[in-house]
Amino acid sequence: GAWATAKPTIVLVHGAWADGSSWDGVIALLIKAGFTVYAPPDPLRGLASDAASLEAFLNAIPGPVILVGHSYGGAVASVASANEANVKALVFVDAFVPDGGESCLSLLAGGPPPPKDLFTPVPFATATGTDADLYLTRKYYGPVFASDVPTSLSSLMAVTQRPITASSLNEKAPPAEGWKTIPSWYVIGDLDNLIPPAVQLKMAERARSHITHVHGSHPSMVEHPGATVEAILAAFSGMK
């Protein structure tokens, strides 16, 4: 029927230390291909609350959606899609894909320890105590986060980076995760210095994702938007 042939809406969920502009290259290609695209802000305040924010956004979209998550945005997409019947495919890009009880930091626990000063914390009071906004320390932003992005761009990204709360990175995911029932695609950045490619592969295999590799750093879609778009187009083909 008409429903099956209509192009899905593509919703792009950014991660920490970035914003919607991290998808600019992907957005341009998707618009050229005739898709309706949204890159709503990810609040980066807490996994459950960020997922609720995304669910509210998805509820306002009629018809099928392909939900795409980068980094922490993958965790948010995983949680939100468990409750959203219109999400027909998930695409993960260098993403956290947690199972119940796992947090972003627990998924990294097996990897090499990060530099002690990787984050620059900005503490703040909460209703129940204290938390901190974590910024990536400037000197690490290019080398660790965006190693294949030209300095002219990575220096701008470092200045405009959006912080994530320490509590978000430690918040445990709920048992219900969209990847358990929704078909998924996963793009692994083989030069990723933030989420080791071996950790990405483990999560992608557990989610039974269709896996592709790209010669890219943690935000692989910045320099290699085509690889992300190819995964989205594959997801679209898989829906028909």
Side-chain angles (χ1 to χ4, degrees):
W3 187 91
T5 54
K7 277 197 164 101
T9 300
I10 315 297
V11 177
L12 307 167
V13 185
H14 69 79
W17 313 301
D19 59 22
S21 68
S22 58
W23 296 111
D24 281 358
V26 171
I27 292 165
L29 291 173
L30 289 173
I31 290 173
K32 201 172 166 186
F35 288 95
T36 299
V37 190
Y38 295 103
D42 181 356
L44 307 177
R45 302 292 86 191
L47 184 55
S49 65
D50 294 341
S53 169
L54 179 56
E55 284 174 39
F57 189 85
L58 293 171
N59 287 341
I61 297 175
V65 167
I66 294 176
L67 189 56
V68 187
H70 171 244
S71 192
Y72 169 78
V76 176
S78 292
V79 176
S81 57
N83 301 315
E84 294 295 321
N86 62 335
V87 176
K88 302 302 179 188
L90 291 163
V91 178
F92 298 112
V93 183
D94 318 305
F96 288 105
V97 185
D99 201 347
E102 294 175 344
S103 70
C104 291
L105 288 185
S106 78
L107 285 163
L108 290 178
K116 289 270 183 283
D117 58 344
L118 179 63
F119 300 133
T120 300
V122 177
F124 62 90
T126 67
T128 52
T130 55
D131 201 349
D133 268 323
L134 300 181
Y135 290 85
L136 276 182
T137 303
R138 287 278 174 95
K139 67 179 176 183
Y140 295 121
Y141 195 95
V144 175
F145 186 80
S147 57
D148 72 332
V149 176
T151 311
S152 58
L153 177 55
S154 68
S155 58
L156 292 179
M157 292 169 67
V159 171
T160 59
Q161 64 172 293
R162 291 192 48 194
I164 188 168
T165 59
S167 57
S168 299
L169 293 180
N170 285 297
E171 187 175 331
K172 290 178 175 160
E177 300 283 334
W179 57 263
K180 294 179 180 179
T181 55
I182 301 166
S184 62
W185 281 256
Y186 196 119
V187 180
I188 296 175
D190 287 331
L191 305 177
D192 198 321
N193 292 324
L194 198 81
I195 306 178
V199 175
Q200 294 187 41
L201 183 63
K202 207 168 151 185
M203 292 186 286
E205 286 178 339
R206 179 172 68 180
R208 298 182 304 281
S209 302
H210 304 266
I211 298 166
T212 52
H213 291 260
V214 65
H215 196 65
S217 66
H218 182 59
S220 68
M221 70 284 187
V222 173
E223 288 300 298
H224 309 278
T228 290
V229 172
E230 278 171 28
I232 293 167
L233 293 175
F236 177 40
S237 297
M239 284 171 55
K240 293 177 196 172

